[in-house]
Amino acid sequence: MAEGERAEELLDLIDSNDLTGIRLWLAEHRPYEIADELSRMDEGHAIIPFRLLDKDRELEVFEELDPSQQQGILLGLRDHAFHDILEQMDPDDRARLIGEAPAKIATRALAGLSPSERRMTAALLGYPENSVGRYMTPETVILHRDLTVGRALEVVRARGADAENIYTLPVVSDGRRMVGTVALGDLVISDDNRLLKDVVDVFAPRVRASEDVESAARLMQEANLVALSVVDSEERFVGMLTFDDALEVIEAADSEDMARQSGASPVGDHYVSVGVFRLVGARAVWLVVLLVAATLTVNVMQAYEATLEEVTALALFVPMLIGTGGNVGAQSATAIVRALAVGEVRVRDLPQVLWKECRVGFMLGLTLAALALGIGSLLVGTLIALVVACTVIAICTWAAIIGSAMPLLANKVGVDPAVVSSPMVATLVDATGLIIYFSIARMILGI
Amino acid sequence: MAEGERAEELLDLIDSNDLTGIRLWLAEHRPYEIADELSRMDEGHAIIPFRLLDKDRELEVFEELDPSQQQGILLGLRDHAFHDILEQMDPDDRARLIGEAPAKIATRALAGLSPSERRMTAALLGYPENSVGRYMTPETVILHRDLTVGRALEVVRARGADAENIYTLPVVSDGRRMVGTVALGDLVISDDNRLLKDVVDVFAPRVRASEDVESAARLMQEANLVALSVVDSEERFVGMLTFDDALEVIEAADSEDMARQSGASPVGDHYVSVGVFRLVGARAVWLVVLLVAATLTVNVMQAYEATLEEVTALALFVPMLIGTGGNVGAQSATAIVRALAVGEVRVRDLPQVLWKECRVGFMLGLTLAALALGIGSLLVGTLIALVVACTVIAICTWAAIIGSAMPLLANKVGVDPAVVSSPMVATLVDATGLIIYFSIARMILGI
């Protein structure tokens, strides 16, 4: 099954309106593979194979799609199929879909739900976006601490079929107050007569529904949890955050950080299905800001225009010098942004981080300066090469300091450190680096 | 429990040699929290609280540390404790630790293992680095397809306590040949008299032990799997890849991609515990390559020195123009590298991607050119501003093409696309961008 052939095949089948062929193709692929193919098409194409799926796979495929693709599919469905899918979705996935949908779809969706599902969805929608509450599942089997293991297993047998996740089960006392969790595996291997309160892990971490979902997901990863209990402000159990949602949250957060680091707004959706105008929109804002900021470099160059006219050779090294400064700054910024994201560095580490990056930048500067001295001597003579080499040392040290300080300061004032993008650091280093360059030139050349 | 206070406290306790205080601190924290603190210290400090941990928590904390930290801790332990820990570790974690350790530690470690554990470790070490085989756990409960559900549960009860993961259980036919998997939850809620072969999910994905572990981890994420079956070349079951290892692999892969995107080699360990020299080493190589490549810009500037001497004002816009080109290129490169990593774009999408990025680059160029025309007219007059504006359009389009084509081409020839870092794209765009700039200048200014 060569990857390359798969997609063309399905698209070809759709374009030639070969319904039998599409049905065969669908039967041969797994739900996540089908979803992956549909993600690459526009909605007009995707709806055709989707309509041909049998009922139980329809839901599985649907749940694997991004919210914006789900909206597109929903709009192509008849009322009956539309409501069927929404009614059967996992409550957390449904809440996120409705939360992101335009009002027209959201209203139609909520109106068609059964009262109990509507209540559950409304409760989840009550939590802020990007909070744990939006991602948790309220559908699980809750066990009371006074049960025996044998009785608890009976409860799981009776109610487990409707639950989204029964790997880790919440154990509560009266009034749903959280006691801890027990792994289904531990229930199965424990003696039936033991009491749940002797088996429960009371140290299992828990989070509030209002907390940020990314930190909760990273906690799950650190603590190797397949599910994390979620409580309200009074320590009452309200739901479980499961590993599949945690994985999705971490992937999305990493994608966002990467986009931000390159000076673009995160797009969120599948690259292939995003239109040109949305891509332009996501990238233009920062480019405009950076271009305006780069006007500073024009001003600096103007300020030293006399120097430039006297020694035109100085202009030759401008691209190389500011490029190097930008590169060193980008390395430092990226390292610190990532260390902050995964929790390796905290804001209070600022002094140590600055001192470390300052030494790293200086040593990188020394290495590059030796090289620049060689290149410069060959191309334009020793004196200007000396200016270039000294500038490299100063710019590298300076860039490493700026690159590491800015994300930490952003974090301190409550801004996502990833918005301190590499281009932003580079632009800042450009303007200041030019001042350093011309100052050193004037000193050494005596002009 | 303010995060900030925690670490200072433990470090203070260690520095003041307050053993009772350390014991108290340890009792109040969870294993992953303890591991997190130890990661921030050098080995001389970390070994002190580690020695004070009680036996069962010792192992839990140890397994949460990075391999290089584990080595440091091991070297500080007496023979008895050293072998105790290794004997009890999960086989996959142990294999990775031994695989990365210097020969001295590795030999000592293998020599002390019991025959059965040694055999298991040797088998895992037989798989290539970064393959699924190194990350899978062979310790699981294997079920034969002819069992009833009730009998299968008895097997789980009898043997489940030793297994690392029993959420998803492999079902095999004679000769360990893989049939499919069954979730423990489904076993629990199914009728005891049903046959396993009627409950097993035969469509559950499986991977070869020799395959790349990152793709396997991303497959688990796409298909929402808590564990993935691993088979050998003859479809015999050999182990399970579990979600916690998958999460770790994805996080590490994302960290590596981010480092590479900024033109640095990935360091792997905790930022705080990595020394200055290792950071310099990880960053210097690409900086040197880029500096040498940037010599091209010096050559280009030299080639147009006469033009520069005639119209010095042209030099003023050099930093701004090459900065803008680098920014656009970095955005495209980052978007494509990420889309490739998560599987949204494949190599055969090259023509569509290029066409899309080309349009995006052109539109971004139009937007920025309007701005540049305004800024340029204010600062130096309309004619040069016109040169700058035309250059912005050309450079943006060109940068978007280069930035998107390079990662795809790298992937095509089997190189990690993340190596096509933003600085690399920027450096390439710098040199070519200058040629575009001066050509347009000569044309419009008639020199």
Side-chain angles (χ1 to χ4, degrees), chain B residues 140-315:
Chain B
T140 184
V141 178
I142 303 171
L143 302 172
H144 195 282
R145 66 195 288 274
D146 293 338
L147 296 179
T148 60
V149 165
R151 180 76 194 107
L153 274 172
E154 279 168 40
V155 175
V156 172
R157 272 178 191 249
R159 299 203 217 124
D162 294 332
E164 188 186 333
N165 143 64
I166 52 171
Y167 298 119
T168 305
L169 300 158
V171 178
V172 300
S173 61
D174 295 334
R176 272 200 165 202
R177 222 158 288 267
M178 194 77 208
V179 175
T181 60
V182 62
L184 179 62
D186 288 337
L187 275 191
V188 169
I189 61 178
S190 295
D191 190 324
D192 274 358
N193 298 319
R194 285 188 76 181
L195 283 175
L196 217 47
K197 60 177 155 218
D198 300 329
V199 191
V200 63
D201 175 10
V202 292
F203 293 111
R206 59 199 68 168
V207 292
R208 292 272 169 88
S210 53
E211 273 176 51
D212 175 49
V213 69
E214 187 185 338
S215 345
R218 299 217 190 262
L219 168 67
M220 288 178 70
Q221 181 191 15
E222 253 192 292
N224 287 346
L225 301 174
V226 75
L228 175 63
S229 313
V230 185
V231 295
D232 65 13
S233 56
E234 273 139 62
E235 289 284 308
R236 281 180 306 226
F237 175 81
V238 290
M240 279 296 212
L241 184 63
T242 54
F243 79 97
D244 49 329
D245 291 318
L247 260 169
E248 202 181 278
V249 165
I250 287 181
E251 272 281 272
D254 284 354
S255 290
E256 275 181 27
D257 279 2
M258 288 189 200
R260 290 219 176 90
Q261 269 288 288
S262 78
S265 311
V267 174
D269 288 325
H270 209 288
Y271 177 82
V272 176
S273 65
V274 176
V276 169
F277 285 101
R278 260 183 78 201
L279 283 179
V280 171
R283 298 182 191 174
V285 183
W286 274 111
L287 288 178
V288 167
V289 172
L290 292 168
L291 188 75
V292 172
T295 311
L296 260 181
T297 62
V298 183
N299 299 137
V300 173
M301 294 286 282
Q302 254 179 336
Y304 292 96
E305 211 171 347
T307 314
L308 266 178
E309 268 170 16
E310 205 164 328
V311 193
T312 328
L314 283 177

Side-chain angles (χ1 to χ4, degrees), chain A residues 3-4 6-8 30 32 36-37 40 64 153 156-157 161 166-167 184-185 188-190 192 203-205 218-219 221-226 243-244 247-248 250-251 254-255 258 262-263 270-272 274 276-277 279-280 283-284 287-288 290-292 294-295 297-299 301-302 309 312 315-320 322 324 327-328 330-332 334-336 338-339 342-346 348-349 353 356-357 359-360 363-364 368 371 375 379-380 423 434, chain B residues 3-4 6-7 30 32 36-37 40 64 153 156-157 161 166-167 184-185 188-190 192 203-205 218-219 221-226 243-244 247-248 250-251 254-255 258 262-263 270-272 274 276-277 279-280 283-284 287-288 290-292 294-295 297-299 301-302 309 312 315-320 322 324 327-328 330-332 334-336 338-339 342-346 348-349 353 356-357 359-360 363-364 368 371 375 379-380 423 434:
Chain A
E3 276 248 320
R6 215 166 67 186
E8 277 159 356
R30 302 193 172 104
Y32 69 90
D36 194 37
E37 279 320 315
R40 290 164 198 283
E64 296 286 338
L153 274 172
V156 173
R157 272 178 192 250
I166 53 170
Y167 298 119
L184 179 61
V188 170
I189 61 177
S190 296
D192 274 357
F203 292 111
R218 297 216 189 264
L219 168 67
Q221 180 190 17
E222 254 192 293
N224 288 346
L225 300 174
V226 74
F243 79 97
D244 49 330
L247 260 168
E248 203 182 278
I250 287 181
E251 272 282 270
D254 284 354
S255 290
M258 287 189 202
S262 76
H270 209 289
Y271 177 82
V272 176
V274 176
V276 170
F277 285 100
L279 284 179
V280 171
R283 299 181 189 174
L287 287 177
V288 167
L290 291 168
L291 188 76
V292 172
T295 312
T297 63
V298 183
N299 299 137
M301 294 287 282
Q302 253 178 337
E309 268 169 16
T312 328
L316 308 183
F317 292 91
V318 165
M320 186 171 101
I322 64 177
T324 302
N327 293 345
V328 172
Q331 287 182 339
S332 298
T334 306
I336 302 303
R338 184 61 178 165
V342 298
E344 288 177 358
V345 160
R346 302 168 191 152
R348 62 174 188 80
D349 295 328
V353 169
K356 186 183 248 180
E357 288 292 329
R359 284 176 296 162
V360 171
M363 282 189 233
L364 289 172
L368 297 178
L371 195 65
I375 296 175
L379 294 176
V380 291
L434 287 171
Chain B
E3 276 248 319
R6 214 166 68 184
R30 301 191 172 105
Y32 69 89
D36 194 37
E37 279 319 316
R40 289 164 199 282
E64 296 285 338
L153 274 172
V156 172
R157 272 178 191 249
I166 52 171
Y167 298 119
L184 179 62
V188 169
I189 61 178
S190 295
D192 274 358
F203 293 111
R218 299 217 190 262
L219 168 67
Q221 181 191 15
E222 253 192 292
N224 287 346
L225 301 174
V226 75
F243 79 97
D244 49 329
L247 260 169
E248 202 181 278
I250 287 181
E251 272 281 272
D254 284 354
S255 290
M258 288 189 200
S262 78
H270 209 288
Y271 177 82
V272 176
V274 176
V276 169
F277 285 101
L279 283 179
V280 171
R283 298 182 191 174
L287 288 178
V288 167
L290 292 168
L291 188 75
V292 172
T295 311
T297 62
V298 183
N299 299 137
M301 294 286 282
Q302 254 179 336
E309 268 170 16
T312 328
L316 308 183
F317 292 90
V318 165
M320 187 171 100
I322 63 176
T324 301
N327 293 345
V328 172
Q331 286 180 340
S332 298
T334 306
I336 302 304
R338 184 61 178 167
V342 298
E344 287 177 359
V345 160
R346 303 168 192 152
R348 61 175 189 81
D349 296 328
V353 169
K356 186 183 248 181
E357 288 292 329
R359 283 176 296 162
V360 171
M363 282 189 234
L364 289 172
L368 297 179
L371 195 65
I375 296 175
L379 293 176
V380 290
L434 286 171

Side-chain angles (χ1 to χ4, degrees), chain A residues 72 85 141 200 220 228 270 291 316 344 346 395 413 416 426 433:
Chain A
I85 284 201
V141 179
V200 63
M220 289 178 69
L228 175 63
H270 209 289
L291 188 76
L316 308 183
E344 288 177 358
R346 302 168 191 152
I395 281 188
V413 298
D416 179 356

Side-chain angles (χ1 to χ4, degrees), chain B residues 67-88:
Chain B
S68 70
Q69 295 164 331
Q70 290 178 334
Q71 290 172 28
I73 294 277
L74 279 180
L75 286 174
L77 293 178
R78 295 213 195 87
D79 239 34
H80 181 72
F82 179 101
H83 291 305
D84 253 17
I85 284 199
L86 280 164
E87 182 74 20
Q88 288 170 60

Side-chain angles (χ1 to χ4, degrees), chain B residues 28-41:
Chain B
E28 277 167 4
H29 290 84
R30 301 191 172 105
Y32 69 89
E33 293 170 330
I34 299 172
D36 194 37
E37 279 319 316
L38 299 189
S39 310
R40 289 164 199 282
M41 304 175 189

